[in-house]
Amino acid sequence: MLLSWSFLVLALGGLAAAVPARRANYVVHEKRAAEPSSAWTLSRRLESDMVLPMRFGLTQSNIDRVEEILMSISHPESPTFGKHLSPEQVIDMFKPSSETVDVVKSWLVGSGIAPERIRITGNKGWIELNATVAEAEDLLNTEYHVYEHESGAEQISCHSYSLPGHVQPHIELVKPTVHFNHRVSPGGYIPEKLKKRTGKLGQPSPYNGPKTNGQTPSINPTLDECDEYITPACLRALYNIYYTPTQTGRNTYGVVEFTPQSYLATDLDMFFGNYSPNLVGSRPTLVSIDGGQYEPSQYQGFSYNGESDLDFEYAMTLVYPQNVTLLQTGDMVEGGGFDNWLDAVDASFCTYEGGDVPSQDGIYPDTAPGGYDAPESCGIIPPPYVVSTSYGQDEVSATPAYAIRQCNEYAKLGMMGTTVLYASGDYGVAGFGGECIDATTGEETLNGTRFNPDFPATCPYVTAVGATQVSPGRTVYEPESAAETVIYSGGGFSNIFAMPSYQATAVRHYLEAYPPPYTAAQYNNSGNVRAFPDLAANGVNYVIAIDGEFELVYGTSASSPVVGSMITMVNDARLAAGKGPIGFLNPAIYSPLFAAAFHDITNGTNQGCGKPF
Ligand SMILES: *[C@@H]1O[C@H](CO)[C@@H](O)[C@H](O)[C@H]1NC(C)=O
Ligand SMILES: *[C@@H]1O[C@H](CO)[C@@H](O)[C@H](O)[C@H]1NC(C)=O
Ligand SMILES: *[C@@H]1O[C@H](CO)[C@@H](O)[C@H](O)[C@H]1NC(C)=O
Ligand SMILES: *[C@@H]1O[C@H](CO)[C@@H](O)[C@H](O)[C@H]1NC(C)=O
Ligand SMILES: *[C@@H]1O[C@H](CO)[C@@H](O)[C@H](O)[C@H]1NC(C)=O
């Protein structure tokens, strides 16, 4: 096989014939998966003296050991429990081995590249080199072409490229090559701006964020009325959270919001005036990520303010006097995706395995009018000890590569001592808007019959938070039920992620003792995939101040910041006792050691996709 391939190369390439010793053992490394659409036509060979900013992504060490390493730090029975890693230790753990760096460097130098032209990036994940097109074509045994779009825009790309057999295992990918996203511009070659973004996390939509039924609540209910109106007092009684933080100078709690979602200061004060008078005039501490700002004049209405108002009214009240950090992500033009806030808390993630994905994330700098035209926010703050995010997307709308890259990053945050919480969605086993997956096409539709789980909740390295309710006529002193008022708590099984070891016993017991009346036609019932959520907390009938009035809202959007507040208080107590933050929670949640701290929710359903259960 190898022989005939090298024969082909030698026979076809004049240039290759001149350097037979090097080309003889080349193997194809990446090939374009699909040809560009018919709107693009191949225009010409790229000029051989143009300079390309070549980036060689080096193979990471230990990436297959992510779960094992995370468990050794976060499983309560592990001897190294709580021994979190520093950012430098995480970089060291996953950085390419020195052998990898040496092999790739010697290959470049042996090919005639002067060592001083080769640079290794700060996170040690990439080798950078400005190479002429002629040099790049020679190194990669390829040809670069310019493609022209009907609109006149140009892109460069090669159809496939090769590497020497002994170098190939040390390189994950090379850019720019087959990835059809580099356009020609007078200043050089820059990643193409996305045409269509699927993320749109902060864009108003009736499906994202908490739901309202427009009811005007009683704003000072007694504890007997928590089945109709949830207030901070109801939550304290329900979960026995009577605790005043003392470690406020050291503890941190962040909540992520995606622009154009924003809180309104007047709403916070209206809520605080009624439920936490000490907080009137207080605001979350803004961390501006990729141009995110407090710009209330631009945003009005429930679907712009509902999520942020809810998050900060409850989180700030519950953890007072602990400050809460607002991770406001994205500018007004592009907004942001999950990778954008991750870049901001971990500089090494900015470029890890190639960096952010234009179909999902904001790509900065943003040169559009009004855009954030500055370098992307990369490692601008240390990760807060707890981060709650009440946004999600249907797992099926992410590619496995995108989801896995991001999920590994949550594991790294866990190794560093951060608890990452995500709301599990408001549509039961269905996806946003009640859509399910069509069994034939794999597309999302209202008529779909396959269950449609929510990401990042399905990532086994986040804590997914579902919603419960105090059922009508019940009190805060009785067990809660799954949320079935206005929303159904999101839950189910992943189609991407395997089952993590920490939940295997619990989930297999559930599947055996209470087998769901569904088959492989609805979900992966192998018993070997990630099940979610991990925790649930009340998400029904929350009284919030929104756009100048009190309303009732519903959603796992409420549950996640409330659980985040509780974990922040756990961290406060740990810090006060001279310990570190708790970090990744799930192994403790499922451990018999902590079983007494949780109630099983045994009543209610998370229906969807036309199924009642
Ligand atoms: C490549 O060239 C650009 C533009 O001149 C420069 O900013 C960059 O540092 C160079 N990179 C390397 C690895 O030499
Ligand atoms: C909390 O935030 C306020 C306002 O941003 C600031 O003045 C105060 O120093 C912060 N407190 C702590 C303990 O960080
Ligand atoms: C769903 O099914 C109905 C009835 O079979 C059909 O009229 C409709 O077009 C379908 N909708 C979608 C989105 O496929
Ligand atoms: C179900 O998950 C298992 C374990 O990840 C996997 O091997 C299997 O292919 C999945 N089944 C389907 C139908 O996707
Ligand atoms: C179980 O849930 C149903 C429906 O929400 C509710 O009517 C009932 O009161 C709940 N039972 C208990 C014991 O909470």
Side-chain angles (χ1 to χ4, degrees), residues 501-526:
S501 55
Y502 61 74
Q503 67 173 192
T505 304
V507 175
R508 294 208 173 113
H509 172 72
Y510 163 77
L511 289 173
E512 276 161 29
Y514 312 96
Y518 306 116
T519 67
Q522 281 86 29
Y523 74 108
N524 188 320
N525 65 349
S526 64

Side-chain angles (χ1 to χ4, degrees), residues 457-460 462 464 492-494 497-500 502-503 529-531 534 586:
T458 52
C459 165
V462 306
F493 292 82
S494 174
F497 295 100
M499 178 181 284
Y502 61 74
Q503 67 173 192
V529 294
R530 155 77 165 152
D534 301 293
N586 295 6

Side-chain angles (χ1 to χ4, degrees), residues 240-281:
N240 200 19
I241 35 179
Y242 300 99
Y243 182 89
T244 304
T246 60
Q247 305 299 304
T248 56
R250 299 199 282 155
N251 202 3
T252 46
Y253 177 22
V255 177
V256 177
E257 304 292 346
F258 293 99
T259 307
Q261 303 293 320
S262 173
Y263 74 85
L264 288 183
T266 45
D267 287 343
L268 299 196
D269 282 344
M270 184 174 168
F271 184 88
F272 296 152
N274 207 53
Y275 299 106
S276 41
N278 289 330
L279 275 169
V280 172

Side-chain angles (χ1 to χ4, degrees), residues 248-249 283 285 323:
T248 56
R283 307 289 172 250
T285 308
N323 280 352

Side-chain angles (χ1 to χ4, degrees), residues 306-346:
E307 182 69 65
S308 306
D309 278 351
L310 164 65
D311 292 348
F312 291 103
E313 288 170 11
Y314 276 83
M316 290 174 71
T317 297
L318 290 173
V319 303
Y320 175 82
Q322 172 65 48
N323 280 352
V324 181
T325 302
L326 161 60
L327 303 172
Q328 184 74 41
T329 305
D331 68 7
M332 285 297 288
V333 178
E334 281 188 65
F338 300 119
D339 287 351
N340 295 116
W341 82 260
L342 292 170
D343 289 335
V345 301
D346 179 4

Side-chain angles (χ1 to χ4, degrees), residues 134 151 263 284 311 320 358 386 537 549 551 555 608:
S151 67
Y263 74 85
D311 292 348
Y320 175 82
V386 176
E549 56 185 43
E551 275 187 39

